[in-house]
Amino acid sequence: MAEEEEGLGSALIAELYRPPALLPIAQLKDALLYAIETFPVTVIVGETGSGKTTQIPQFLYKAGWTNDGSQIAVTQPRRIAATSVSARVAEELGCQLGQEVGYSIRFEDVTSDKTKIKFLTDGLLLREMLVDPLLKRYSVIMVDEAHERSLSSDILLSLLKKVLRARSDLRVVISSATLDAEKFLEFFAPDEDQNVGGKFKADYGTIVSIEGRTHSVDIFYLPSPINNYVEKAVDTAMSIHTSEADGDILIFATGREEIDDIIDMIADRIVDLGPDAKRLQPLPLYAGLPTEQQMYVFQKADEGTRKLIVSTNIAEASVTIDGIIYVIDTGYVKLRAYDPALGIERLNVVPVSKASATQRAGRAGRTRPGKCYRLYTESAFDRLEDATFPEIQRSNLAPVVLQLMNLGIQNIVRFDFLDSPPSKLVVRALDLLFSLGAVDAYGRLTKPLGTRMAELPLEPMLARAVLNAQSFNCLSEMLTIAAMMTLQGNAFVAHDGNQKLVDRARRKFAVKEGDHITLYNVYQSFTNSAVGKQSSQWCRDNNLNYKAMLKAVSVRKQLRNYLDRMGIQENTLAGSDAIRVGGMEMAERVQRCLTTGFFAQAARMKTDGSFVPVGGDTVMWAHPSSLFFHRKVDWVIYHEIQETKGKIYIRDLTSVEMDWLTEYAPEYYKVKQR
DNA sequence: GAGCACTGC
């Protein structure tokens, strides 16, 4: 396992560790088992630290829920949680991980025929439903952290509702940290029960509440609203540092730039404190930070030094840091929104929800009683949304729709969602899938193209291009490019914050055709036994993210296996072709092949360097990480479009010929011209 | 001209 995950994992295990007998959940054991025995659906409400994730599966196991040879599944929204929690439970049961207790995540299946309790990501359980739609191997399925309302856990709950209709023996346990419990339970009401109106006849399920074991956290609000929460966060941190007892500080900010600003301002203020003052060590934390730098936040500060961690939302649920006593909540978060009319993703800074604010405050009370300073007024808090908008209502739904169709859901519009996505999102998704040939004019999944696209763990446009690659004799190249695309711009990394070095490193691999083939060259060099040798040192020397590169190797291998099973062979010509891919022939094949997937994302550069889409007037700019940030080009296809601070950026560009667009997507462009 | 919140298959 890579360093980062080990580090984060052990932090998580530390959080979970508490002698099991002392957990409040132990007292509720009988009530819990009774509920699960009696009702198809049990919703468990319990704060972090209540032990529900580690204890409930053990109760069920010991109560005989796996005696008939079936398994207990516990789903997690994150890989790291699945691995670390399973290790903890294996230890408590005194067995080796992978025996009675195991986990299964993408690329790693640590289970055996002896496995009774299996932790897995919710996305992977969805994949299992393709093979086993009724999930027959499980007697109990526990969906943990359902309150996070992730895309895959939402869909999983919808599908479990369907499965329950066919399987009266199945038990579903939903665990939530917030007050959504009733909503979850009511969702599982059989249709006839919903007609009873106000009368609530819940013989299909029940709610069990578990006391948390976190310490109390005093909440402080501002007396009046402020304009600049960045400055206020700095002021608050400094006053905590100079007047409050020992204990580390955690500031929640919205993004990298803001975090850097806060850290710079804090650094200035530290100088003013004078040489005799207690020391303060500001540390940034966000997902894009190189692993080594992320690890600093977990290390104990020197004696007499107070850590001040300035973090994105990553510290809200994904990462747990010990020793935080003070939390400063700016009250904002950066969230994705999807504009179905333009097909653009936006990252907006928006107020947090009450659930989020509560979760943030709780980060101060893990070791001992703490304090949380909310940089907004109490009435502002009262006006916050109860919970963050579910992901399914603010995402590009093309991958979701494709996956649901492949699971046999014919009518997406009538699908029983916990919260239905806006119909515009569904329509947009269907339009795109139709233009890609995954869905026919009757709204049915096509065979084999549509089903194959759904099977590949790639977004639809990329899946389409990969499935076309064999006919362009560039499957080998496209597999590599697809694998590199899943890194989402994280192939290069600034090891010491020096962005100039990154740009220089990128130029070493650059080819005139654009970013995709540039990334292909990166992969080729990394895996070449005479060049990168898959070594971490080589990555460091070339400003590449070693962990990300290893992931690309895994993804490529997995994609390769999928295509093997589909009977699509890697072109022998491609594998042995000695032509440098930046040269004419191969490059053009790749460019054409990419066009067959990304024709709907084509644009042309104007003289001022901006881009406009076909038949549109949206002004777009090449992202600074693109080869075409500096260079001139005519037509391009792009992989991603995103609005940041009012400016629309396109990322991962490859130059194409205008004729190819009409050649490979005649229908699409005929409609466009009307 | 100047920059990805966070996950997952």
Side-chain angles (χ1 to χ4, degrees), chain A residues 236-257:
Chain A
T236 309
M238 292 314 290
S239 83
I240 292 170
H241 182 56
T242 50
S243 59
E244 293 279 344
D246 282 356
D248 297 334
I249 306 171
L250 171 62
I251 301 179
F252 282 101
T254 64
R256 179 193 178 141
E257 204 178 337

Side-chain angles (χ1 to χ4, degrees), chain A residues 61-87:
Chain A
Y61 170 59
K62 289 176 183 162
W65 279 92
T66 60
N67 286 358
D68 62 351
S70 50
Q71 295 179 312
I72 296 162
V74 185
T75 74
Q76 294 293 325
R78 285 168 288 275
R79 295 161 54 90
I80 180 76
T83 55
S84 55
V85 178
S86 64

Side-chain angles (χ1 to χ4, degrees), chain A residues 218-498:
Chain A
D218 289 333
I219 310 276
F220 301 94
Y221 292 97
L222 293 184
S224 55
I226 47 156
N227 290 326
N228 190 330
Y229 64 78
V230 168
E231 269 175 24
K232 190 69 189 174
V234 172
D235 288 346
T236 309
M238 292 314 290
S239 83
I240 292 170
H241 182 56
T242 50
S243 59
E244 293 279 344
D246 282 356
D248 297 334
I249 306 171
L250 171 62
I251 301 179
F252 282 101
T254 64
R256 179 193 178 141
E257 204 178 337
E258 206 169 275
I259 289 169
D260 290 344
D261 285 351
I262 291 174
I263 286 187
D264 287 348
M265 289 163 79
I266 295 278
D268 287 347
R269 298 280 288 269
I270 289 174
V271 179
D272 297 342
L273 286 178
D276 299 331
K278 200 165 62 176
R279 293 184 49 197
L280 184 65
Q281 183 186 18
L283 296 164
L285 178 64
Y286 47 87
L289 207 62
T291 317
E292 315 90 69
Q293 288 179 53
Q294 274 186 4
M295 294 318 293
Y296 293 136
V297 307
F298 299 109
Q299 286 166 11
K300 222 173 138 42
D302 295 338
E303 190 63 32
T305 299
R306 190 201 297 269
K307 279 194 294 186
L308 166 65
I309 295 151
V310 192
S311 171
T312 61
N313 233 22
I314 193 173
E316 192 180 297
S318 310
V319 161
T320 298
I321 308 150
D322 281 321
I324 300 291
I325 303 299
Y326 307 98
V327 162
I328 300 173
D329 178 10
T330 59
Y332 287 93
V333 64
K334 211 177 268 190
L335 276 189
R336 171 174 51 211
Y338 183 74
D339 178 344
L342 296 172
I344 295 173
E345 260 185 15
R346 295 204 169 84
L347 277 178
N348 296 329
V349 173
V350 296
V352 293
S353 63
K354 285 192 184 113
S356 230
T358 307
Q359 174 78 12
R360 287 179 173 191
R363 292 309 195 172
R366 297 193 349 88
T367 342
R368 56 183 161 94
K371 295 180 179 179
C372 173
Y373 301 82
R374 291 183 173 154
L375 305 185
Y376 41 97
T377 63
E378 189 162 9
S379 66
F381 175 82
D382 291 336
R383 288 194 303 272
L384 294 176
E385 298 283 345
D386 284 341
T388 308
F389 255 67
E391 207 182 351
I392 202 161
Q393 294 187 326
R394 50 191 174 86
S395 307
N396 168 13
L397 292 186
V400 173
V401 169
L402 188 59
Q403 194 176 18
L404 284 176
M405 287 183 134
N406 199 31
L407 284 163
I409 310 298
Q410 310 285 343
N411 191 336
I412 303 294
V413 179
R414 286 177 51 195
F415 184 65
D416 195 1
F417 291 100
L418 257 136
D419 285 297
S420 292
S423 59
K424 276 185 181 169
L425 288 181
V426 179
V427 170
R428 166 98 194 180
L430 285 166
D431 277 352
L432 176 69
L433 293 173
F434 174 73
S435 74
L436 288 171
V439 167
D440 66 19
Y442 303 97
R444 293 174 309 207
L445 198 62
T446 58
K447 287 177 187 168
L449 182 59
T451 50
R452 284 177 172 174
M453 280 171 63
E455 242 176 277
L456 290 178
L458 295 172
E459 52 193 301
M461 289 191 273
L462 195 53
R464 176 70 212 245
V466 167
L467 288 169
N468 278 339
Q470 193 187 36
S471 63
F472 288 96
N473 227 320
C474 64
L475 183 56
S476 178
E477 288 75 11
M478 279 304 301
L479 286 172
T480 299
I481 287 168
M484 291 299 286
M485 287 293 108
T486 64
L487 304 185
Q488 299 171 118
N490 287 320
F492 288 92
V493 69
H495 285 304
D496 33 14
N498 191 338

